[in-house]
Amino acid sequence: MLVLSRNTYKTLMCLILLFFVFTSFSTSAGGIALGATRIIYPLNAKQVSLAVTNSDEESRFLIQSWVDDENEKKSPNFIVTPPLFVSKPKSENTLRIMYVGPELPKDRESIFWLSSKAIPAVERNSIEGKNVLQLAILSRIKIFVRPENLGLTSEEALSKLDFYRRGNAIEVKNASPYYITLVNLRVGVNMLPNTMIAPMSSALVNSPKGIEGVVTYQTVNDYGANTSITTVQLK
């Protein structure tokens, strides 16, 4: 017979509890999905739409949605309808996102974030007299507000990237009017962090000092997919 000490028993029970909590959480979280991983909002559009799907066959979720600005503060310049609704099992709802703020730059993209929180519904009868841990899932996707007539396409914007060695960092300059997100960024055999560079701006990416070799990278396109691998010289 295995005898456990008091502290060991407590630790084991905590681990078992956490296992069941996170297993339940993972199952519930799988029910809600947004219809895209990013939103392209034409500057002259009155609104854009986004599907919210509940694929769970039993669970209902309370969905709350809003838009944050680039400083991660709730933006008063967007209206999201409905801001709060119940997503029923095996259903699809539509969020309508409208920009109602002041005029934005017409020579480059502007960025915002759509936040959507999913809270699983709990039947009152099933929790009466019990301790219940309720977990909410927060999904955030980028909103790119895109003016017309930017002079080049988002695919052509990749030709406007330049990479420079700067001590313990790599400077990436983006001369295009688009936000560009770099993924699978390598210099030689060194993998560097994913990075988003603002339009007509630059960003520093931490890297080992003295790294050598060509730069290879992919970007994320308007549909959320990775582009083909691009190879350029480090300047």
Side-chain angles (χ1 to χ4, degrees), residues 25 28-39 50-53 61-68 80 95 97 112-119 135-143:
F25 171 73
S28 297
I32 295 294
L34 300 181
T37 59
R38 54 185 49 214
I39 296 171
L50 179 70
V52 180
T53 304
F61 293 84
L62 181 65
I63 309 296
Q64 181 183 18
S65 303
W66 66 94
V67 173
D68 294 322
V80 180
L95 290 177
I97 304 159
F112 298 87
W113 297 80
L114 174 70
S115 296
S116 191
K117 183 187 295 183
I119 305 170
L135 300 173
I137 315 299
L138 179 63
S139 300
R140 299 181 77 235
I141 62 174
K142 298 168 185 173
I143 302 175

Side-chain angles (χ1 to χ4, degrees), residues 154-166:
S154 57
E155 292 82 7
E156 294 169 338
L158 302 188
S159 65
K160 300 296 183 179
L161 289 178
D162 287 304
F163 297 79
Y164 300 87
R165 186 185 292 106
R166 297 285 187 257

Side-chain angles (χ1 to χ4, degrees), residues 109 111 142 144 160-163 170-183 185 193-205 217-219:
E109 287 184 326
I111 190 170
K142 298 168 185 173
F144 297 102
K160 300 296 183 179
L161 289 178
D162 287 304
F163 297 79
I170 299 298
E171 182 182 14
V172 187
K173 290 188 176 181
N174 175 16
S176 83
Y178 295 89
Y179 278 89
I180 299 178
T181 299
L182 301 178
V183 296
L185 173 62
N194 295 344
T195 304
M196 183 174 68
I197 307 100
M200 304 176 189
S201 185
S202 63
L204 291 176
V205 184
Y217 65 90
Q218 294 173 279
T219 64

Side-chain angles (χ1 to χ4, degrees), residues 57-172:
E57 296 184 354
E58 299 180 357
S59 299
R60 294 178 298 123
F61 293 84
L62 181 65
I63 309 296
Q64 181 183 18
S65 303
W66 66 94
V67 173
D68 294 322
D69 61 22
E70 59 183 336
N71 298 316
E72 299 188 2
K73 295 182 179 180
K74 189 171 182 180
S75 173
N77 298 323
F78 276 89
I79 295 174
V80 180
T81 59
L84 190 69
F85 68 92
V86 174
S87 177
K88 297 179 180 180
K90 301 295 290 183
S91 68
E92 180 176 296
N93 298 87
T94 299
L95 290 177
R96 303 192 186 281
I97 304 159
M98 294 165 279
Y99 182 74
V100 295
E103 188 171 311
L104 292 171
K106 294 183 178 180
D107 64 341
R108 68 192 69 190
E109 287 184 326
S110 301
I111 190 170
F112 298 87
W113 297 80
L114 174 70
S115 296
S116 191
K117 183 187 295 183
I119 305 170
V122 178
E123 298 298 332
R124 184 179 299 273
N125 293 338
S126 66
I127 65 172
E128 192 170 350
K130 300 177 183 178
N131 293 323
V132 176
L133 177 62
Q134 192 175 27
L135 300 173
I137 315 299
L138 179 63
S139 300
R140 299 181 77 235
I141 62 174
K142 298 168 185 173
I143 302 175
F144 297 102
V145 181
R146 180 174 296 174
E148 293 181 321
N149 304 319
L150 288 178
L152 71 166
T153 67
S154 57
E155 292 82 7
E156 294 169 338
L158 302 188
S159 65
K160 300 296 183 179
L161 289 178
D162 287 304
F163 297 79
Y164 300 87
R165 186 185 292 106
R166 297 285 187 257
N168 292 337
I170 299 298
E171 182 182 14
V172 187

Side-chain angles (χ1 to χ4, degrees), residues 208-224:
K209 189 174 182 179
I211 60 174
E212 299 288 345
V214 297
V215 178
T216 60
Y217 65 90
Q218 294 173 279
T219 64
V220 182
N221 65 20
D222 288 350
Y223 306 99

